[in-house]
Amino acid sequence: MKRTKIADVLQSSKVGEQLLVKGWVRAFRSNRFVQLNDGSTINNIQAVVDFENFDEAILKKITTGASVALTGTLVESQGSGQAVELQVSHIEVLGEANPDDVQKTVMQPKKHSLEFLREQAHLRFRTNTFGAVFRIRHGVAYAIHKFFNDRGFYYIHTPIITGSDAEGAGEMFRVTTLDLDKLPQKDGAIDFSEDFFGKTVNLTVSGQLEAELAALALGQVYTFGPTFRAENSNTSRHLAEFWMIEPEVAFNDIHDNMDLAEAMLKYICQYIIDNFADDLKFLSEREAQEQASKPANERSEMTLLERLQFVVANDFKRMTYTEAIDVLMNSNHYKKKKFQYDVNWGTDLQSEHERYLVEKEFKRPVIITDYPASFKAFYMRQNENCEPGKQTVAAMDILFPGIGEMVGGSQREERLDILKEKMAAFHIPEEELWWYLETRKFGTVPHAGFGLGFERMVMFVTGMSNIRDVIPFPRTPKNAEF
Ligand code: 4AD
Ligand code: MG
C-alpha cells in the first residue's frame, strides 16, 4: 500500500478507507492513542491501537520521537478534538527512540524556551512551533518566486564569491585557499596573486551590482540568494549569513520602486494568510499566550493574523527623510528627551527613531525616501535641486512594526559622470568596478531596485521575535554550530 500524507488524510480521505501513514510519534497515551505527525501539516492524526491485538514488545517501542508506519481504517472519532482517527490493524516500528534520551531533548512534549530549542536546532524541526515556522518560510520563498514570475521577472543567479564590496561597508568574509600559517609574501605584503583566484575575494554582501547588469538587458530581474556580512552585531535582527531578494528594474524610478516593494510585501502576507491557515493560527495563539506574560506596554495591539491582514489592507505611509526628522523633532517623545540618540538632519536614524515612527506615530509600515547622500551607498541616484549643504539621494527604506528595516533600496545613479564622482568620493577605484561603469556607457537608462531581508520578512509573518528562530541553522558571531 502507498503511504498517504497526514495532511491529505485529514483533508480528503473518507471514513472507511484503508490507509498507510508514516511519521514520528508525538505522544502515546493510555497505551492506546498515538498522536502521529509527518510534517505535512501541523495537525497530528490520532491513531487508535487496541492493545489486546498487539504484542507488548511492539507497543513498548511506540514512544515519543520514534518513527512508525501504521496501517488501518479511517473511522469517525469517538473522542472530541478530532473528526476522524485511524483504527490501526498493523504496526511497523521504523526507528526506535530511547525515552530516557528523548527526555533530554526538545521532543519532550512540554514548553521549552526558544534558547534551549536553538541549542538543539537539529531536533527543533520536530516541534510544533518550528514545524510551523519552516513551513511558512517555504511559503514566503515560494510566494516571492510566484510574485515575480507572474509579473515577467527573470530569476538571476549572481555570484557568491566576488571581488566587489557592493555596499562599501567593508563587512566581508574573505575567501582564500592560501595556507594561513605560511602566507606568501612579496615586497613586505601578502602576495594574493598566489591565491586561488589570483586576487582577494570575499563572500558577497549583495547581488545588486550584478543584478543591475542583467536588468539593463533583460528589463526586470531579481536575485534570491544567500548574502554574508561580517558585522559584529549580536542583535535579534542580524545574521552573518542571511538570504536576500533583490529585484532590479530598467526604466523604473523611485516611485515605481516603492510601488513594487509595497505590492510584493502585501502579496507575501496575503499568500501566507491564504495558504498557511493552520500554521498561522498556531503561531497566532502561541504569540497571544506569550503576550499575556509581557508588561502591557510591550504587548502588540493586534494578533499575528490581524497584523498580516492590516498590512494587506492599508497603504504604507510614505515620507521623506526630511519630513521624518520633522515628525521626530516635533514629537513629545523628543521634547521629553526620551530618545537615547539625538535627532538631527544629516545623521542616520537609529532603530529607536524608526520604531517610534512605525510603532507609535503611524502604526503601520513606513517608507522613508530621499536620505542624505553622506550615509548611503555610492550607487544611489543624486537628487536634483537640493538645498545647499543638504544633498540627498533617491533612497528608500521600508520600516515595519516590530522589525525595523525590512527593505533597503534606491533608484540607481545612471549618469556616468556623477557615478564616477561618487566613486571617487567614496574611494572606490574605477578599475575595481570597470564592468559596472560600462553599463553607463552603453545605452544607460534610469533603473531602480531594492533588497528585502528574507529572514526579517519571515519574522514578520510568523511573529517570531528573534531572527535566529526563522532560519534553520543561524550563523551569528561566535556561533556556527550544525
Ligand atoms: O539595506 P541593505 O544593506 O541593502 C543592500 O544590500 C542593497 N544592495 C539592496 C538593493 O538595493 N538591491 O540590505 C537589504 C536588506 C535590509 O533592509 C535588511 O532587511 C536585510 O537586507 N539585512 C539583513 N538581514 C539579516 N541580517 C543582516 N545582517 C542584514 N543586513 C541587511
Ligand atoms: Mg539598509
Side-chain angles (χ1 to χ4, degrees):
M1 202 190 290
K2 259 187 97 154
R3 166 173 96 98
T4 308
K5 281 185 288 176
I6 291 171
D8 297 335
V9 173
L10 297 177
Q11 219 193 347
S12 41
S13 294
K14 303 269 177 307
V15 165
E17 266 182 65
Q18 282 287 312
L19 295 168
L20 167 63
V21 294
K22 296 182 183 182
W24 293 271
V25 176
R26 285 290 174 84
F28 187 29
R29 277 188 299 115
S30 321
N31 227 7
R32 194 172 156 80
F33 300 106
V34 184
Q35 295 297 329
L36 197 71
N37 190 281
D38 68 359
S40 60
T41 157
I42 193 159
N43 301 308
N44 302 327
I45 189 158
Q46 172 155 291
V48 185
V49 175
D50 286 328
F51 52 86
E52 313 85 63
N53 302 340
F54 296 94
D55 280 352
E56 214 185 307
I58 201 162
L59 294 179
K60 273 206 162 130
K61 292 178 184 171
I62 305 177
T63 56
T64 297
S67 49
V68 295
L70 304 175
T71 315
T73 314
L74 199 66
V75 298
E76 265 170 47
S77 178
Q78 306 297 305
S80 60
Q82 61 278 315
V84 290
E85 59 196 19
L86 192 74
Q87 184 65 48
V88 177
S89 56
H90 185 260
I91 301 172
E92 184 189 350
V93 175
L94 302 171
E96 296 174 41
N98 181 322
D100 292 337
D101 293 338
V102 167
Q103 191 83 33
K104 297 172 204 140
T105 74
V106 299
M107 287 182 291
Q108 188 59 24
K110 62 167 201 180
K111 199 152 171 46
H112 303 286
S113 74
L114 291 170
E115 288 77 12
F116 179 61
L117 285 151
R118 243 169 260 151
E119 287 167 17
Q120 296 193 9
H122 59 305
L123 293 176
R124 66 179 178 170
F125 294 107
R126 295 270 187 105
T127 65
N128 281 332
T129 299
F130 285 91
V133 166
F134 292 124
R135 275 187 294 271
I136 291 181
R137 183 180 163 108
H138 159 79
V140 174
Y142 179 73
I144 289 167
H145 284 300
K146 183 161 165 52
F147 175 85
F148 286 120
N149 184 65
D150 290 354
R151 282 161 188 73
F153 282 67
Y154 302 110
Y155 178 25
I156 296 291
H157 297 93
T158 51
I160 289 172
I161 300 175
T162 167
S164 76
D165 175 9
E167 290 306 299
E171 293 158 334
M172 297 174 299
F173 290 100
R174 179 70 61 79
V175 177
T176 179
T177 53
L178 291 178
D179 180 349
L180 297 183
D181 297 322
K182 263 195 315 214
L183 290 169
Q185 303 280 329
K186 194 177 168 189
D187 305 330
I190 299 167
D191 182 9
F192 284 102
S193 69
E194 301 233 338
D195 204 349
F196 189 91
F197 295 102
K199 62 175 193 171
T200 60
V201 292
N202 50 273
L203 295 176
T204 184
V205 296
S206 158
Q208 178 198 321
L209 302 189
E210 291 90 349
E212 280 187 54
L213 312 182
L216 293 175
L218 296 170
Q220 314 184 98
V221 302
Y222 70 105
T223 72
F224 190 156
T227 45
F228 306 86
R229 297 205 183 166
E231 49 194 339
N232 209 349
S233 33
N234 233 325
T235 78
S236 58
R237 297 184 183 89
H238 288 87
L239 291 166
E241 176 181 295
F242 63 101
W243 290 66
M244 191 164 27
I245 295 90
E246 296 184 273
E248 195 66 39
V249 184
F251 318 112
N252 265 12
D253 66 12
I254 187 76
H255 302 284
D256 304 319
N257 208 29
M258 285 191 266
D259 292 344
L260 179 67
E262 184 167 341
M264 178 192 68
L265 295 169
K266 288 183 160 155
Y267 183 90
I268 296 169
C269 292
Q270 186 65 55
Y271 186 85
I272 298 302
I273 294 170
D274 290 345
N275 293 281
F276 290 83
D278 290 346
D279 290 315
L280 211 47
K281 180 164 172 280
F282 174 84
L283 291 172
S284 232
E285 285 166 4
R286 177 186 179 283
E287 189 192 68
Q289 280 171 13
E290 300 241 305
Q291 296 268 340
S293 62
K294 280 190 186 168
N297 63 341
E298 283 177 30
R299 282 181 215 158
S300 167
E301 285 165 27
M302 287 185 253
T303 67
L304 172 60
L305 181 59
E306 286 166 348
R307 291 201 299 275
L308 300 192
Q309 287 164 336
F310 182 89
V311 165
V312 173
N314 292 280
D315 287 345
F316 295 4
K317 173 77 188 169
R318 298 182 184 192
M319 64 196 315
T320 65
Y321 167 87
T322 304
E323 288 163 349
I325 293 290
D326 278 349
V327 169
L328 288 169
M329 290 180 105
N330 286 317
S331 68
N332 278 331
H333 210 78
Y334 180 78
K335 289 176 186 153
K336 291 186 185 152
K337 302 202 185 318
K338 285 200 192 155
F339 288 122
Q340 195 190 335
Y341 293 90
D342 196 22
V343 181
N344 57 55
W345 201 101
T347 45
D348 204 355
L349 300 176
Q350 297 293 325
S351 84
E352 57 170 349
H353 306 136
E354 298 180 340
R355 295 193 72 149
Y356 177 83
L357 291 170
V358 172
E359 289 161 22
K360 298 274 181 319
E361 185 75 30
F362 299 110
K363 297 185 192 293
R364 65 180 60 205
V366 176
I367 312 183
I368 300 183
T369 57
D370 304 295
Y371 284 82
S374 57
F375 57 79
K376 288 292 186 184
F378 75 94
Y379 52 72
M380 297 190 178
R381 191 177 197 279
Q382 297 257 30
N383 285 326
E384 281 131 14
N385 309 322
C386 296
E387 265 181 60
K390 288 196 167 179
Q391 179 64 54
T392 59
V393 287
M396 63 173 216
D397 275 7
I398 306 186
L399 313 176
F400 258 57
I403 306 287
E405 184 187 329
M406 180 74 87
V407 162
S410 74
Q411 187 171 334
R412 316 308 187 187
E413 185 55 77
E414 84 284 12
R415 297 160 294 187
L416 182 63
D417 49 339
I418 301 180
L419 186 56
K420 281 183 170 179
E421 277 168 31
K422 281 295 281 285
M423 283 173 58
F426 280 74
H427 305 291
I428 304 169
E430 282 184 29
E431 310 83 80
E432 236 173 61
L433 290 182
W434 62 271
W435 43 271
Y436 185 69
L437 289 168
E438 293 238 312
T439 51
R440 273 63 170 175
K441 291 180 193 163
F442 307 124
T444 192
V445 293
H447 60 288
F450 60 84
L452 165 67
F454 182 59
E455 282 76 18
R456 294 195 184 170
M457 191 59 194
V458 180
M459 285 174 78
F460 183 74
V461 294
T462 57
M464 300 302 282
S465 52
N466 194 312
I467 199 164
R468 294 167 180 79
D469 297 327
V470 298
I471 186 165
F473 303 106
R475 299 292 178 246
T476 50
K478 302 278 179 289
N479 172 41
E481 192 71 33
F482 307 105

